[in-house]
């Protein structure tokens, strides 16, 4: 009990396991419901990289493609950090 | 009973994942309704892996099973085991040495049609999984209770089951959250009922707290609703009353004493 409190006070990323569960659940349910497998999503991500790379320099490692849902609708959200633009030739 | 001339409701209790408390829910909600004076029958459709007879403590009184009824070896009436602790509670046992493919959804529908005129509530204990056993269990049901635990894998399976029920045209699907531990929710280490409802988007019919009394009553083969002091018993009684149309407030089952709350408020940083 005391150890718990101390852990949460002093360890910065002692995120509640409940919040981790919520987030994991949210993601897995969006995938389940959309019947899009992580593999399909990964293929989509690789294709996106191919296309966008022709136009700008992007951080491929940090690129994230995911489904996000609010009450009724589901959106495909891609977060693509841009490192720089290709110089016009 | 006031609804004697109305046909009985068929309620399937399902979950997808195993071990979340389907059979315990069936045994206790059915017992609670029987205690209230309703005529109730419980059907164990977990053929090959039956549990309901043990949970209800009726294992020594089983003579025939559901497969024998369907195959015409005995009548439905002969196979029904009466629970003597309640005025009108009966169980139709599963067969232990057969499997789920030995029975069809049509046969379950026919069986329930035979039971409807004589009972107010017909509960179906659905096996875990989404295969034939699940299809058999939902075939005759008018409404579904989905049992889940505040735990990611159970909720994921519940979501899948709700999807399958919806595509089978179920409109009355209600959630039972079982084995909730309030102190863990408070500490931020367990999903709360609100978290589950936010994801599953169906109506809530009961919150059952984790309770050692459940194992004790399972050991004895006595439904926990017979033990008035148990918190789970209160929860199951409340589910029964909600199903029968009463408007009962959801209890928080907060076991934290005033003193602990006070000291926590004074000395805790959170």
């Amino acid at each position: 009990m005391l150890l718990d409190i101390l852990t949460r006070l002093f360890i910065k990323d002692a995120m509640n396991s409940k919040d981790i569960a919520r987030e994991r659940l949210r993601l897995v349910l969006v995938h389940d419901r959309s019947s899009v497998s992580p593999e399909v999503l990964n293929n989509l991500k690789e294709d996106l990289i191919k296309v966008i790379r022709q136009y700008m320099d992007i951080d491929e490692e940090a690129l994230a493609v995911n489904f996000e849902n609010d009450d009724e609708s589901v959106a495909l959200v891609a977060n693509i950090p841009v490192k720089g633009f290709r110089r016009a030739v | 009973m006031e609804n004697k001339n109305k046909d009985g409701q068929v309620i399937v209790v399902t979950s997808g994942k195993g071990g979340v408390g389907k059979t315990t829910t069936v045994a206790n909600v059915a017992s609670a309704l029987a205690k209230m004076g309703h005529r109730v029958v419980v059907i164990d459709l977990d053929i090959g892996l039956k549990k309901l007879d043990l949970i209800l403590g009726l294992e020594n009184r089983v003579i025939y099973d559901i497969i024998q009824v369907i195959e015409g070896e005995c009548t439905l009436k002969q196979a029904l085991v009466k629970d003597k602790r309640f005025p009108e509670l009966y169980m139709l046992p599963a067969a232990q040495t057969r499997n789920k493919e030995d029975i069809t959804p049509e046969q379950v529908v026919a069986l329930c049609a035979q039971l409807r005129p004589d009972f107010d509530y017909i509960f179906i204990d659905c096996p875990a999984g989404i295969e034939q056993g699940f299809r058999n269990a939902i075939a005759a049901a008018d409404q579904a209770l989905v049992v889940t635990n505040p735990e990611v894998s159970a909720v994921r399976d519940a979501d899948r089951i709700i999807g399958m029920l919806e595509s089978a045209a179920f409109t009355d699907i209600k959630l039972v959250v079982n084995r909730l531990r309030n102190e863990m929710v408070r500490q931020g280490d367990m999903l709360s009922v609100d978290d589950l409802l936010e994801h599953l988007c169906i109506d809530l019919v009961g919150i059952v707290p984790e309770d050692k009394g459940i194992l004790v009553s399972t050991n004895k083969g006595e439904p926990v609703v017979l033990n008035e002091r148990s918190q789970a018993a209160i929860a199951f009684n409340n589910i029964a009353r909600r199903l029968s149309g009463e408007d009962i407030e959801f209890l928080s089952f907060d076991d934290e004493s005033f003193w602990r709350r006070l000291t926590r408020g004074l000395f805790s940083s959170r």
Side-chain angles (χ1 to χ4, degrees), chain B residues 37-175:
Chain B
H38 296 287
R39 295 162 306 165
V40 185
V41 59
V42 292
I43 304 177
D44 189 353
L45 272 187
D46 202 346
I47 294 158
L49 290 170
K50 60 177 180 171
K51 303 165 194 72
L52 191 56
D53 54 340
L54 267 180
I55 303 277
L56 280 170
L58 298 174
E59 70 274 18
N60 293 328
R61 311 230 348 260
V62 172
I63 301 168
Y64 298 107
D65 60 53
I66 186 168
I67 300 281
Q68 288 172 304
V69 175
I70 282 168
E71 294 181 347
E73 277 181 51
C74 65
T75 65
L76 178 56
K77 213 170 184 178
Q78 284 175 316
L80 289 176
V81 179
K82 177 155 181 4
D83 190 328
K84 292 173 183 158
R85 293 164 296 197
F86 301 95
E88 294 275 347
L89 177 64
Y90 293 84
M91 176 189 65
L92 181 57
Q96 183 69 345
T97 52
R98 302 292 290 267
N99 56 59
K100 275 118 188 144
E101 287 73 33
D102 292 339
I103 179 170
T104 67
E106 293 72 30
Q107 288 167 329
V108 178
V109 171
L111 203 69
C112 288
Q114 249 182 294
L115 291 167
R116 276 179 202 268
D118 295 329
F119 292 95
D120 301 316
Y121 296 96
I122 300 157
F123 279 91
I124 296 182
D125 190 12
C126 176
I130 51 173
E131 295 83 19
Q132 170 100 35
F134 172 73
R135 288 193 293 274
N136 288 339
I138 66 167
D142 307 304
Q143 55 171 302
L145 300 188
V146 175
V147 183
T148 195
N149 297 159
E151 182 258 312
V152 281
S153 67
V155 181
R156 182 193 205 172
D157 287 3
D159 187 68
R160 180 105 164 87
I161 286 294
I162 293 165
M164 295 183 82
L165 289 167
E166 280 171 352
S167 59
F170 273 78
T171 51
D172 195 344
I173 309 171
K174 295 194 183 82
L175 186 71

Side-chain angles (χ1 to χ4, degrees), chain B residues 220-241:
Chain B
K220 296 190 210 162
E222 279 174 6
V224 77
V225 289
L226 290 172
N227 172 4
E228 303 286 346
R229 282 179 308 170
S230 147
Q231 290 208 311
I234 299 168
F236 284 123
N237 275 313
N238 283 351
I239 295 174
R241 292 170 68 183

Side-chain angles (χ1 to χ4, degrees), chain B residues 142-215:
Chain B
D142 307 304
Q143 55 171 302
L145 300 188
V146 175
V147 183
T148 195
N149 297 159
E151 182 258 312
V152 281
S153 67
V155 181
R156 182 193 205 172
D157 287 3
D159 187 68
R160 180 105 164 87
I161 286 294
I162 293 165
M164 295 183 82
L165 289 167
E166 280 171 352
S167 59
F170 273 78
T171 51
D172 195 344
I173 309 171
K174 295 194 183 82
L175 186 71
V176 176
V177 179
N178 193 22
R179 309 195 72 165
L180 186 78
R181 298 175 65 167
N182 262 306
E183 79 285 0
M184 288 194 73
V185 175
R186 236 176 1 244
Q187 287 163 10
D189 280 326
M190 183 175 265
L191 293 163
S192 68
V193 173
D194 286 338
D195 293 335
L196 302 198
L197 291 175
E198 181 196 329
H199 285 114
L200 297 176
C201 309
I202 57 171
D203 288 340
L204 181 68
V205 74
I207 307 167
V208 185
E210 174 80 54
D211 186 340
K212 288 177 187 160
I214 295 283
L215 183 57

Side-chain angles (χ1 to χ4, degrees), chain A residues 21 32 39-40 42 49-50 57 71 77 81 87:
Chain A
D32 287 358
E39 196 196 345
V40 169
N42 212 39
I49 291 175
K50 263 187 242 163
D57 197 9
D71 293 337
V77 178
R87 198 161 275 138

